């Protein structure tokens, strides 16, 4: 596959964001559960947002797939609705954010010949044990060997000699697929390339040994480019279908995790961002491609000389939804989590291991399971809810320990995602970490990060770091020292139960 697209910094047009308050910028965030289109003012405040739900097909053999054509259609629909009634001459630019680890087989014209295997697809689990050079590949790529990655998925298809693997002339992510369809560009940004498990961090290129394990050649992959790469104009008919001006420039963008950190302003070493939605993660930016010797974390590139270190969890809000369903609780999600406020920190002895959806960091075990411990006759529904919230927090804290080993203890923690709306959970998280947690005003951190990348790419701002001036804190949740001491003792028991 050949790469197209071009850089345009337009440095002669640099302006101060504060002078552009009447101008607008677009952030597109293509997630797992929905495609979001968000229109921001240049100070980061939201003007308008549209969300289109995406369907995931859960198939036999732990497979999780999406129809790439449907994801494309829903993303177009979201952007079209965003443009309704908007004075488009005010829009400066737009940028892309997308979930990591998706894989689509395409033909020579870039047309999909398979569904998109998404990050939660564990269909390649049976082939993971046969991957050679695991430690060496991890050291070179910074990406753990796990069924979520395109590397492991490709190795699985290679072993099974599947029809789509034999027919494929290229492999792409959902983001690359949409960009090809809209603009005709065949490009992949550094972060998305890192997330494949096939990008050599230190050499800054596709890794030959990883490609050999995957069974593909470099020509089947797109050219790795900066997130600030300006895309070609919309293909004929696409802009008309969406109802967007062809003159609005769009930029390549990056993965949602990295952009969530950027959108939160957590972009300097020592500044951590916790994402807690359906799943979750904790991340810190770094200037060097450090790789964890114990293989508990990931290290992904963002730019060629900028990296992000962190760990993801499968078990965020999805665990609460599971427990709510199991308990057949008829109230709202807020009413459900508020039950936890009836119980003191420590849930009167009840401990919950939240690995009900398998787990990535820090155990990297797709077959991990969840469990409640130390139950007694005195425990009721509220104890289970409190223990569930604490278990999710302990898991993030556990991942945070792994990240700290490489990056050091964070001086500042910001939080985004759906669980950031739950005051009781954020308070538990602050007490577990023993640090205050800053909440952003917007919950669209990844979309704002994508929008900012486009402003930087177009030369309207001079650096990534300038975004710190446009990520105001909505609220600071203070931790309680006594509660933290309680949780330190409970966490020791948690570590014992998880085999640490």
């Amino acid at each position: 596959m050949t790469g197209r697209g071009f850089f345009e910094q337009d440095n002669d047009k640099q302006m101060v964001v504060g002078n552009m308050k009447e101008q607008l910028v677009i952030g597109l965030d293509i997630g797992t559960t929905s495609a979001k289109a968000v229109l921001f003012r240049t100070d980061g405040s939201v003007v308008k947002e549209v969300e289109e739900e995406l369907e995931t097909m859960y198939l036999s053999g732990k497979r999780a797939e999406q129809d790439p054509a449907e994801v494309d259609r829903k993303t177009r629909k979201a952007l079209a609705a965003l443009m309704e009634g908007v004075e488009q001459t005010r829009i400066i630019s737009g940028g892309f954010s997308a979930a990591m680890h998706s894989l689509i087989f395409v033909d020579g014209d870039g047309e999909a010949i398979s569904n998109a295997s998404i990050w939660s697809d564990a269909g390649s689990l049976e082939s993971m044990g046969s991957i050679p050079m695991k430690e060496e590949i991890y050291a070179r790529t910074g990406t753990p060997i796990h069924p979520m990655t395109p590397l492991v998925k490709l190795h699985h298809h290679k072993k099974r000699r599947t029809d789509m693997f034999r027919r494929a002339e290229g492999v792409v992510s959902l983001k690359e697929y949409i960009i090809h369809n809209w603009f005709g560009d065949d490009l992949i940004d550094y972060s998305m390339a890192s997330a494949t498990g096939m990008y050599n961090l230190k050499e800054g290129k596709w890794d030959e040994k990883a490609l050999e394990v995957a069974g593909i050649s470099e020509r089947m992959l797109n050219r790795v480019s900066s997130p600030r790469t300006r895309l070609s104009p919309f293909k004929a008919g696409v802009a008309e279908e969406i109802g967007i001006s062809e003159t609005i420039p769009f930029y390549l963008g990056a993965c949602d995790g990295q952009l969530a950190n950027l959108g939160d302003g957590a972009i300097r070493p020592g500044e951590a961002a916790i994402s807690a939605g359906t799943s979750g993660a904790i991340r810190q930016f770094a200037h060097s491609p450090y790789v964890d010797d114990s293989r508990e974390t990931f290290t992904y590139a963002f730019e060629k000389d900028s990296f992000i270190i962190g760990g993801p969890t499968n078990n965020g809000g999805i665990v609460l939804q599971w427990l709510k369903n199991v308990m057949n609780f008829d109230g709202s999600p807020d009413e459900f989590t508020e039950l936890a406020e009836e119980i003191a920190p420590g849930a009167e002895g009840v401990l919950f291991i939240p690995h009900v959806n398998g787990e990535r960091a820090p155990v990297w075990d797709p077959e991990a399971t969840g469990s409640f411990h130390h139950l007694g006759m005195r425990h009721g529904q509220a104890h289970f809810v409190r223990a569930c919230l604490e278990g999710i927090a302990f898991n993030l804290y556990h991942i945070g320990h792994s990240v700290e080993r490489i990056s050091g203890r964070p001086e500042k923690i910001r939080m985004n995602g759906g669980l950031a709306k739950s005051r009781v959970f954020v308070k538990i998280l602050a007490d577990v970490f023993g640090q205050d947690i800053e909440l952003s005003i917007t919950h669209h951190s990844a979309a704002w990060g994508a929008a900012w990348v486009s402003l930087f790419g177009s030369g309207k701002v001079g650096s990534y770091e300038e975004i710190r001036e446009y990520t105001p804190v909505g609220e600071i949740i203070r931790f309680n020292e006594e509660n933290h001491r309680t949780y330190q003792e409970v966490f020791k028991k948690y570590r014992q139960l998880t085999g640490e």
Side-chain angles (χ1 to χ4, degrees):
M1 301 179 74
T2 58
R4 293 197 291 123
F6 52 95
F7 289 90
E8 279 198 9
Q9 294 292 354
D10 295 340
N11 289 324
D12 59 322
K13 298 180 183 178
Q14 281 191 16
M15 301 170 66
V16 177
V17 169
N19 295 329
M20 300 191 295
K21 288 186 177 179
E22 297 307 312
Q23 294 183 289
L24 308 173
V25 61
I26 299 168
L28 287 175
D29 184 15
I30 308 163
T32 303
T33 57
S34 66
K36 304 180 191 73
V38 188
L39 192 64
F40 298 94
R41 297 181 184 88
T42 52
D43 62 2
S45 58
V46 174
V47 175
K48 184 179 180 182
E49 58 188 90
V50 177
E51 185 170 2
E52 286 288 330
E53 290 188 7
L54 299 176
E55 179 185 358
T56 295
M57 297 170 280
Y58 294 98
L59 309 172
S60 61
K62 298 185 177 181
R63 289 154 52 212
E65 299 179 353
Q66 292 182 333
D67 179 351
E70 180 69 359
V71 175
D72 184 341
R73 187 183 72 79
K74 288 292 186 70
T75 306
R76 295 186 192 207
K77 185 177 179 182
L79 183 55
L82 190 76
M83 292 297 95
E84 291 177 2
V86 173
E87 186 182 340
Q88 295 192 28
T89 56
R90 295 173 59 195
I91 301 175
I92 298 171
S93 57
F96 283 86
S97 165
M100 292 177 269
H101 310 302
S102 58
L103 174 71
I104 307 167
F105 292 104
V106 296
D107 62 21
D109 295 322
E111 296 293 325
I113 59 172
S114 73
N115 283 329
S117 168
I118 62 174
W119 68 268
S120 55
D121 187 344
S124 60
L125 177 61
E126 65 185 66
S127 300
M128 196 170 72
S130 64
I131 291 180
M133 304 178 291
K134 288 187 180 70
E135 293 185 10
E136 182 179 350
I137 289 175
Y138 173 75
R140 293 160 69 92
T141 67
T143 305
I145 303 298
H146 187 274
M148 69 178 181
T149 63
L151 167 65
V152 176
K153 293 168 183 172
L154 286 166
H155 177 75
H156 178 70
H157 281 279
K158 180 182 78 169
K159 277 193 66 181
R160 299 185 66 187
R161 295 295 298 167
T162 62
D163 178 64
M164 63 187 77
F165 181 84
R166 289 185 287 106
R167 290 170 50 209
E169 295 188 46
V171 290
V172 300
S173 64
L174 276 163
K175 178 165 167 270
E176 294 167 82
Y177 173 79
I178 288 172
I179 285 172
H180 171 85
N181 286 350
W182 291 18
F183 306 99
D185 294 330
D186 295 319
L187 301 168
I188 184 170
D189 68 88
Y190 288 114
S191 62
M192 196 70 74
S194 278
T196 66
M198 297 182 289
Y199 178 79
N200 190 306
L201 289 174
K202 294 180 180 178
E203 295 180 8
K205 64 179 184 179
W206 293 114
D207 188 82
E208 293 178 5
K209 291 186 178 180
L211 296 186
E212 182 181 340
V213 170
I216 63 172
S217 62
E218 187 173 341
R219 67 173 181 79
M220 297 177 70
L221 298 165
N222 284 330
R223 177 163 62 85
V224 185
S225 305
S226 165
R228 292 174 288 156
T229 303
R230 181 172 171 174
L231 300 170
S232 300
F234 282 99
K235 282 184 176 180
V238 175
E240 183 179 359
E241 176 192 335
I242 294 173
I244 189 169
S245 170
E246 295 180 0
T247 62
I248 297 172
F250 273 77
Y251 292 78
L252 184 57
C255 293
D256 54 2
Q258 287 85 332
L259 291 174
N261 270 60
L262 177 64
D264 277 341
I267 59 174
R268 292 176 180 170
E271 298 174 337
I274 295 176
S275 297
T278 303
S279 55
I282 180 167
R283 312 176 189 86
Q284 288 193 58
F285 270 98
H287 296 309
S288 299
Y290 303 113
V291 175
D292 182 14
D293 290 338
S294 63
R295 304 191 299 282
E296 292 182 353
T297 59
F298 60 69
T299 303
Y300 297 147
F302 179 65
E303 287 274 12
K304 199 160 190 175
D305 57 354
S306 177
F307 307 87
I308 195 162
I309 297 166
T313 171
N314 291 353
N315 296 286
I318 194 172
V319 181
L320 278 173
Q321 186 60 50
W322 163 80
L323 185 63
K324 184 173 180 289
N325 292 341
V326 167
M327 290 184 168
N328 198 26
F329 186 86
D330 292 330
S332 69
D334 287 342
E335 291 171 331
F336 187 63
T337 57
E338 284 168 5
L339 291 174
E341 294 184 297
E342 301 173 12
I343 309 299
E348 293 187 21
V350 181
L351 243 174
F352 177 58
I353 308 302
H355 301 160
V356 295
N357 193 31
E359 191 50 291
R360 289 181 287 173
V363 298
W364 296 101
D365 182 1
E367 298 186 289
T369 56
S371 53
F372 283 95
H373 297 265
H374 311 307
L375 299 176
M377 291 293 291
R378 70 184 186 280
H379 297 131
Q381 190 177 57
H383 292 87
F384 283 92
V385 177
R386 179 88 194 190
C388 182
L389 290 170
E390 290 177 347
I392 296 169
F394 284 139
N395 197 38
L396 285 165
Y397 186 54
H398 193 178
I399 297 169
H401 277 203
S402 300
V403 175
E404 282 182 28
R405 194 167 54 245
I406 305 170
S407 302
R409 180 175 170 82
E411 300 167 4
K412 182 182 296 186
I413 299 177
R414 283 216 171 170
M415 185 179 176
N416 60 70
L419 280 177
K421 300 175 185 177
S422 169
R423 189 178 185 87
V424 61
F425 176 73
V426 180
K427 183 65 172 67
I428 288 171
L429 195 66
D431 289 344
V432 168
F433 273 77
Q435 289 184 255
D436 298 339
I437 292 181
E438 299 179 355
L439 299 178
S440 301
I441 287 178
T442 177
H443 293 289
H444 296 296
S445 301
W448 175 229
W452 189 268
V453 167
S454 76
L455 289 174
F456 187 17
S458 63
K460 301 302 186 291
V461 298
S463 70
Y464 288 124
E465 285 205 352
E466 286 179 31
I467 198 173
R468 291 165 57 85
E469 301 174 31
Y470 304 98
T471 53
V473 177
E475 186 178 6
I476 298 177
I477 305 299
R478 306 291 183 183
F479 81 98
N480 178 285
E481 183 62 45
E482 183 179 349
N483 290 348
H484 179 60
R485 286 195 297 270
T486 298
Y487 281 136
Q488 287 293 289
E489 293 304 311
V490 179
F491 184 64
K492 291 177 184 176
K493 299 175 183 177
Y494 177 92
R495 291 289 293 266
Q496 291 170 354
L497 290 169
T498 55
E500 294 294 325

